[in-house]
Amino acid sequence: MAMRLLRRLAAAAPACVFPAIGENGAGRVAALASLGRFRFVSTARHAPILLVAGKIRKEDHEDLCRLHDQLPHPRRTLWWGSDPIDGFADPLVVASIDEARDAILDVWRRLVSGEETSEPDLLPDKPAHPWRGKGEHGQGGEGMMGGKPYGRPMAMTGDDLRDGLALDQCTCEYGPLLPILPPD
């Protein structure tokens, strides 16, 4: 009984969608966003629905598959203005804004209610950059520093006055919760 109530409440919430925008897809997504019945999220990890809007280049197919695999289960992909790429077993293609709106709402309701099964992963579960370090435990370069874990160089000592490490700058937005802090 409690699960049915939770599913009904979840189905009444706005559908969470992550748009993957290809060629001529930005206008489609903007028009869909103006309807206000969806919540477009900024990361694929927060949306069970992937909307592929516009034509996706062949060079970007693997990246799209990687993006798809980041969606939480249960998940579904909709294709609007783009041909589905290989690997998607049952592609859901829409042709107009009305079809896209209706399909997103229907898929959201079916995912939340459990009627729709989740799409499987498209890529194998392995690191994009496998570890190839030195040493008997793969610890990396010479001594304490060096090496490239998963293909990313480690921070080395440098002329940074704060802590003596040469690091790249990371920009973070703190949002309305911490307005007294600078935006970056």
Side-chain angles (χ1 to χ4, degrees):
M1 170 110 172
M3 285 303 289
R4 280 187 275 163
L5 175 64
L6 287 175
R7 287 179 188 222
R8 275 195 314 221
L9 289 173
C16 295
V17 179
F18 183 81
I21 300 173
E23 183 180 330
N24 299 322
R28 295 170 193 254
V29 172
L32 194 59
S34 69
L35 299 177
R37 300 181 68 185
F38 315 106
R39 196 172 97 214
F40 287 98
V41 295
S42 59
T43 176
R45 297 183 191 282
H46 294 157
I49 300 173
L50 175 64
L51 174 66
V52 181
K55 185 177 178 183
I56 302 297
R57 300 178 317 160
K58 181 105 174 128
E59 303 89 52
D60 297 329
H61 285 191
E62 185 177 345
D63 295 330
L64 183 64
C65 291
R66 189 171 294 110
L67 182 70
H68 169 271
D69 289 355
Q70 292 176 13
L71 296 170
H73 289 279
R75 61 182 169 213
R76 189 74 158 105
T77 305
L78 278 73
W79 302 86
W80 185 18
S82 179
D83 294 327
I85 63 175
D86 292 337
F88 288 86
D90 185 22
L92 180 56
V93 180
V94 295
S96 68
I97 190 169
D98 293 330
E99 284 183 32
R101 179 198 64 222
D102 294 343
I104 289 172
L105 293 174
D106 185 51
V107 165
W108 173 253
R109 181 192 58 75
R110 288 185 293 144
L111 285 173
V112 170
S113 69
E115 297 172 37
E116 179 91 17
T117 59
S118 185
E119 292 176 333
D121 287 345
L122 300 174
L123 298 175
D125 188 16
K126 64 177 187 168
H129 301 284
W131 174 257
R132 292 194 260 287
K134 297 180 183 177
E136 70 181 72
H137 302 292
Q139 66 268 23
E142 312 300 325
M144 294 286 293
M145 301 301 279
K148 294 185 179 183
Y150 298 105
R152 296 171 191 90
M154 298 194 49
M156 302 302 284
T157 56
D159 296 332
D160 190 330
L161 299 176
R162 295 171 295 177
D163 58 7
L165 295 176
L167 300 172
D168 293 331
Q169 184 178 15
C170 176
T171 302
C172 301
E173 292 183 18
Y174 299 109
L177 300 177
L178 302 170
I180 60 169
L181 296 176
D184 57 292

